[in-house]
Amino acid sequence: MKTPGFWYRPQATPAAWLLAPAGALYDVASRLRRAWVSPQRAPVPVVCVGNLVAGGAGKTPVALALGRRFREIAVEAHFLSRGHGGSLAGPVRVDPDRHSAAEVGDEPLLLARAGPAWISRDRPAGARAAAAAGARLILMDDGFQNPSLAKDLSLLVVDGGSGFGNGLILPAGPLREKPADGLKRADALVVMGADRAGIADLAARHGLPALGARLVPVAEDAARLRGRKVLAFAGIGRPGKFFATLAELGAELAGAIPFPDHHAYTPDEVMRLVETAQERQAVPVTTEKDLVRLPPEARPMVEALRVELAWDNPAAVDAVLEPVVRRVGLV
């Protein structure tokens, strides 16, 4: 679904207040689930990259950055995801050459290009399968609210500009749970972009480290698109951020078309986008995450802007990871 605009307005709108009772029920159900389920311990340490809002915070780039760091220090980390939007229940090891986004979801395909990645709706079963295949550490992309698998380290990703939106629970707002509840189970916060929402101060009040990070376009892609007229489209949590990134790197926007998060593009949709781009003498451009959801035959007609995560203070990240890295050597 598309992110409702009222989720990120400073004050709750009439629509938000009408949906607030449903949000209260969602919150109660989530609390009961966490209270009733006994987390299972994986054979190896588990690091969870989660968030408190529905979509758009940047979990997957953070997971990819952590995966790179673990490889640099020779820790065999495997990614684990539910496989949102995919048809396979798992546990399945993702093969980018064999699996499609319709089978395993878009994010696992990106993760699998960077390292061993698994999807499993049953998270403990997925962790056991990864460990049996040689993983010394499980790196979960999402799953912070899933109580079935015990976490050794939990990082919450928060957008520094939008924070927690209107502060209401789904569907009245973007929150999956109340921040006060989630912060009790977190070990650190990752603040994406400029901290205009006071996230670092909130982390300090809860005794948690705040790790600054930002998404930067891959230099090669930025140079290729700078000064060119582009027709941008994206089906991510907050497509406006992608459109703004293109404008900031110097591309000329001939159009910006949002789609629902995890949208499965049809061949006809892609052809209409390509034809519109041609009419406007522009290049169709999307995100790397969207590209894997395009029909394979349509991908050569569309360009993607890749982004990567840069830490403000890599040493602070290493300090947060140190306890779990030490435990890897003992497993």
Side-chain angles (χ1 to χ4, degrees):
M1 69 173 221
K2 288 186 180 179
T3 300
F6 65 81
W7 277 6
Y8 288 97
R9 289 179 187 160
Q11 296 186 358
T13 64
W17 287 120
L18 284 172
L19 292 170
L25 291 175
Y26 183 100
D27 187 40
V28 169
S30 298
R31 288 169 180 264
L32 289 175
R33 185 187 183 205
R34 291 195 296 270
W36 288 346
V37 175
S38 297
Q40 298 181 40
R41 177 65 62 180
V44 297
V46 173
V47 174
C48 176
V49 179
N51 67 7
L52 298 182
V53 301
K59 296 184 306 298
T60 300
V62 172
L64 288 167
L66 293 178
R68 286 194 298 272
R69 183 57 184 147
F70 285 129
R71 286 194 300 277
E72 289 170 357
I73 58 177
V75 172
E76 177 70 8
H78 286 207
F79 298 107
L80 175 62
S81 170
R82 182 187 183 279
H84 181 79
S87 61
L88 300 180
V92 172
R93 183 164 176 171
V94 179
D95 182 348
D97 296 325
R98 182 168 64 90
H99 291 124
S100 67
E103 293 172 315
V104 299
D106 48 13
E107 287 141 348
L109 286 176
L110 298 182
L111 296 170
R113 291 174 179 174
W118 299 76
I119 57 136
S120 183
R121 294 177 190 172
D122 182 333
R123 301 297 177 85
R128 290 192 295 270
R136 299 287 286 169
L137 182 144
I138 305 297
L139 186 49
M140 288 179 65
D141 181 10
D142 208 359
F144 181 74
Q145 284 77 25
N146 186 317
S148 64
L149 184 62
K151 290 92 173 172
D152 296 273
L153 184 73
S154 290
L155 307 182
L156 284 180
V157 184
V158 187
D159 185 276
S162 57
F164 303 122
N166 63 11
L168 298 178
I169 304 290
L170 289 164
L175 287 172
R176 299 178 178 189
E177 61 177 306
K178 294 178 180 177
D181 294 336
L183 292 173
K184 291 176 184 176
R185 309 194 311 279
D187 297 290
L189 272 65
V190 178
V191 185
M192 297 292 288
D195 186 8
R196 297 189 295 270
I199 303 303
D201 290 340
L202 177 66
R205 291 199 297 272
H206 285 79
L208 299 173
L211 307 173
R214 62 197 182 281
L215 292 178
V216 295
V218 171
E220 176 187 348
D221 292 3
R224 188 181 71 251
L225 294 171
R226 187 174 294 115
R228 295 174 71 187
K229 184 183 289 188
V230 302
L231 178 74
F233 67 95
I236 56 178
R238 300 186 65 199
K241 293 173 63 176
F242 171 64
F243 304 148
T245 298
L246 282 168
E248 289 166 4
L249 65 81
E252 179 185 346
L253 290 178
I257 304 172
F259 287 88
D261 196 11
H262 300 288
H263 181 68
Y265 296 93
T266 66
D268 286 345
E269 283 177 325
V270 180
M271 285 310 302
R272 284 196 295 272
L273 288 165
V274 171
E275 289 168 359
T276 300
Q278 290 174 343
E279 291 168 0
R280 301 180 187 182
Q281 298 183 319
V283 178
V285 177
T286 192
T287 71
E288 192 176 17
K289 182 177 167 183
D290 283 275
L291 191 68
V292 300
R293 282 185 268 114
L294 300 184
E297 65 275 11
R299 291 172 196 164
M301 296 184 283
V302 176
E303 295 193 24
L305 174 65
R306 295 170 295 169
V307 295
E308 55 191 3
L309 185 131
W311 298 107
D312 292 348
N313 185 351
V317 179
D318 285 347
V320 168
L321 298 178
E322 183 183 4
V324 75
V325 171
R326 284 204 310 266
R327 193 185 158 209
V328 169
L330 301 175
V331 173

